[in-house]
């Protein structure tokens, strides 16, 4: 199981604004490209995104569905990698003073991915998560969503 955390120097509402920007998904999720909306409105319950992941010469066409969504608090996703199975990706946003402690928890859920899961894959996942959280923090702290929408300052600022 791969669990990482990162302190993001913005309030949870600003972090949520970036997580809510479906068009910006590929700017912080390592390995994704050609992201497009599927069903529903991201990140509402049941909404989906479709995208590609490139691993060397291999291109996987994946779909991610929102399984739980509590604005500025929790976003839980199920990433469907077809023949490789699915994974649960949970992001918890905790207020930390004026900032946000984001806790990322990802693990196999269904299919062969769970059977192949081991310490070496966990180590690779930790590296991916470190890069992903660094990208996410950079976007949040810049004060814009990846698609260019300005993130509003917190209400009490």
């Amino acid at each position: 199981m791969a669990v990482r955390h990162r302190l993001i120097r913005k309030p949870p509402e600003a972090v949520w604004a970036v997580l809510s920007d479906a068009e910006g998904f590929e700017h912080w999720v390592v390995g994704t490209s050609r992201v497009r909306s599927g069903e529903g409105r991201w990140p509402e319950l049941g909404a989906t995104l479709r995208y590609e992941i490139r691993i060397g010469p291999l291109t996987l066409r994946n779909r991610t569905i929102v399984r739980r969504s509590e604005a500025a608090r929790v976003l839980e996703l199920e990433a469907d990698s077809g023949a490789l199975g699915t994974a649960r990706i949970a992001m918890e946003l905790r207020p930390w003073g004026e900032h946000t402690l984001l806790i990322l928890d990802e693990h196999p859920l269904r299919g062969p991915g769970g059977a192949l899961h081991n310490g070496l894959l966990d180590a690779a996942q930790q590296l991916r998560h470190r890069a992903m959280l660094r990208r996410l923090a950079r976007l949040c702290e810049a004060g814009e969503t990846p698609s260019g929408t300005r993130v509003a300052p917190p209400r009490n600022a």
Side-chain angles (χ1 to χ4, degrees), residues 41-52:
R41 187 171 174 204
W42 191 264
E44 293 175 359
L45 189 64
T48 61
L49 290 178
R50 296 186 180 278
Y51 52 93
E52 292 181 354

Side-chain angles (χ1 to χ4, degrees), residues 105-143:
D105 174 1
E106 180 175 354
H107 62 270
L109 191 59
R110 299 180 241 225
L116 301 173
H117 190 237
N118 60 45
L120 185 58
L121 289 175
D122 261 353
Q125 194 75 319
Q126 289 288 345
L127 292 173
R128 180 176 181 263
H129 286 170
R130 185 179 300 156
M132 194 164 77
L133 290 173
R134 184 176 51 248
R135 289 177 180 187
L136 180 61
R138 189 178 314 129
L139 287 167
C140 294
E141 292 167 1

Side-chain angles (χ1 to χ4, degrees), residues 1-142:
M1 179 161 65
V3 178
R4 287 207 68 79
H5 65 276
R6 172 99 186 202
L7 183 66
I8 300 176
R9 298 182 193 302
K10 287 289 183 176
E13 294 80 12
V15 176
W16 186 259
V18 174
L19 295 176
S20 297
D21 182 11
E23 294 176 25
F25 195 74
E26 67 185 273
H27 295 286
W28 61 273
V29 178
V30 174
T32 60
S33 64
R34 297 186 184 187
V35 176
R36 61 186 184 1
S37 292
E39 299 81 36
R41 187 171 174 204
W42 191 264
E44 293 175 359
L45 189 64
T48 61
L49 290 178
R50 296 186 180 278
Y51 52 93
E52 292 181 354
I53 293 184
R54 292 192 178 101
I55 304 169
L58 192 64
T59 299
L60 303 173
R61 286 171 181 78
N62 290 3
R63 179 180 82 117
T64 292
I65 185 168
V66 177
R67 294 296 186 196
R68 183 174 170 209
S69 182
E70 297 176 27
R73 293 188 56 221
V74 175
L75 182 61
E76 291 191 23
L77 310 171
E78 185 173 350
D80 185 348
S81 297
L84 295 177
T86 67
R88 173 185 174 263
I89 303 153
M91 290 171 271
E92 179 184 352
L93 288 71
R94 291 186 187 172
W96 201 260
E98 297 174 357
H99 307 302
T100 303
L101 180 63
L102 190 140
I103 301 165
L104 174 66
D105 174 1
E106 180 175 354
H107 62 270
L109 191 59
R110 299 180 241 225
L116 301 173
H117 190 237
N118 60 45
L120 185 58
L121 289 175
D122 261 353
Q125 194 75 319
Q126 289 288 345
L127 292 173
R128 180 176 181 263
H129 286 170
R130 185 179 300 156
M132 194 164 77
L133 290 173
R134 184 176 51 248
R135 289 177 180 187
L136 180 61
R138 189 178 314 129
L139 287 167
C140 294
E141 292 167 1

